[in-house]
Amino acid sequence: MKNIFDKIRIVLVSTTHPGNIGAAARAMKTMSQENLYLVEPKIFPSAEATSRATGADDVLAATTVCSSLKEAIAGCDLVIGTSARTRSIPWPMVLPRECAQTVSEDKYSSVAIVFGRENSGLSNDELELCNLVLQIPTNTEYSSLNLASAVQIICYEIYLLGIYESRVESAETDSPLVHQDKMEMFYQHLEECMVDIGFHDVDNPRLLMHRMRRLFNRAQLEESECNILRGILAKVQGKIK
Ligand code: SAH
């Protein structure tokens, strides 16, 4: 499975202001995106782009400059165009969060997210190269974000999903979760131990075991953690006997 950050390229089409290129590179780097493609930028490289990129000059330095959108999206199995306007010819639309979900699907190995020019966005011909169109919800009377702000929002949604995925992956590599039968043995042991130390009265149990179950079930113990707890209980019992 390809990492969600590696498979994405951010494509800026015919950007007029070099400062926006730098600001987009900065927005990308904060969200762990590094693959920037520029299609016929008006001015690039430029001191203004570098200055607006601040610490993201490595993203700028690695930029791929292309002479057409087709060249920039070559090899991609999913192309998402972005637009500030609802188009006269409807195209399948997605919101930023849905876009993040979609790009994270394993069936896509290389995804382009395409941004238009500051003054006129993407042309209809360019949108026709896209599988989906993404619109960031805005005030209906004023929907046009600054180019780098649009890049930021979309990359942020992908980043959120990316960190969630890496958390799930790291959780999966830890010790497996304890099975229910082992939890039952743990609860029996815990109850026994609490009786041994005089903390629990089986004739007047109140809600103690109920609360203990709620506590440990909430924790979703891993096998190794359960073993540690069983070890502690055994030691306590050993000490008082
Ligand atoms: N006047 C242009 C706006 C371009 S803004 C137009 O009417 O299309 C420059 C680029 O930023 C857009 O092409 C798009 O890629 C992105 N962008 C700006 N606002 C956006 C929004 N609300 N949703 C999605 N992308 C947006």
Side-chain angles (χ1 to χ4, degrees), residues 49-189:
T50 307
S51 134
R52 291 285 302 280
T54 319
D57 25 5
D58 51 337
V59 175
L60 282 187
T63 296
T64 308
V65 179
C66 304
S67 54
S68 70
L69 177 56
K70 277 192 181 151
E71 185 187 328
I73 61 177
C76 291
D77 43 25
L78 179 68
V79 180
I80 302 176
T82 59
S83 175
R85 294 174 278 140
T86 310
R87 301 291 170 141
S88 45
I89 308 164
W91 214 248
M93 299 288 292
V94 282
L95 296 171
R97 202 152 295 174
E98 294 166 336
C99 161
Q101 288 285 355
T102 304
V103 304
S104 72
E105 288 175 29
D106 286 347
K107 65 179 174 187
Y108 302 116
S109 62
S110 188
V111 179
I113 306 179
V114 185
F115 294 82
R117 339 170 147 66
E118 292 94 329
N119 59 355
S120 59
L122 292 170
S123 70
N124 284 334
D125 285 352
E126 286 160 345
L127 276 181
E128 279 176 16
L129 297 174
C130 302
N131 303 100
L132 300 168
V133 174
L134 180 157
Q135 190 174 16
I136 300 166
T138 57
N139 175 352
T140 45
E141 278 146 44
Y142 188 56
S143 65
S144 174
L145 276 80
N146 165 267
L147 175 61
S149 305
V151 171
Q152 183 84 65
I153 287 173
I154 295 165
C155 292
Y156 172 70
E157 288 294 342
I158 296 168
Y159 185 76
L160 282 188
L161 212 74
I163 51 174
Y164 172 74
E165 280 190 346
S166 65
R167 271 198 214 136
V168 171
E169 267 167 29
S170 68
E172 278 167 1
T173 60
D174 282 332
S175 158
L177 294 180
V178 81
H179 289 175
Q180 209 41 49
D181 47 345
K182 269 203 158 181
M183 274 315 277
E184 279 314 311
M185 283 155 70
F186 165 70
Y187 288 128
Q188 267 175 31
H189 195 171

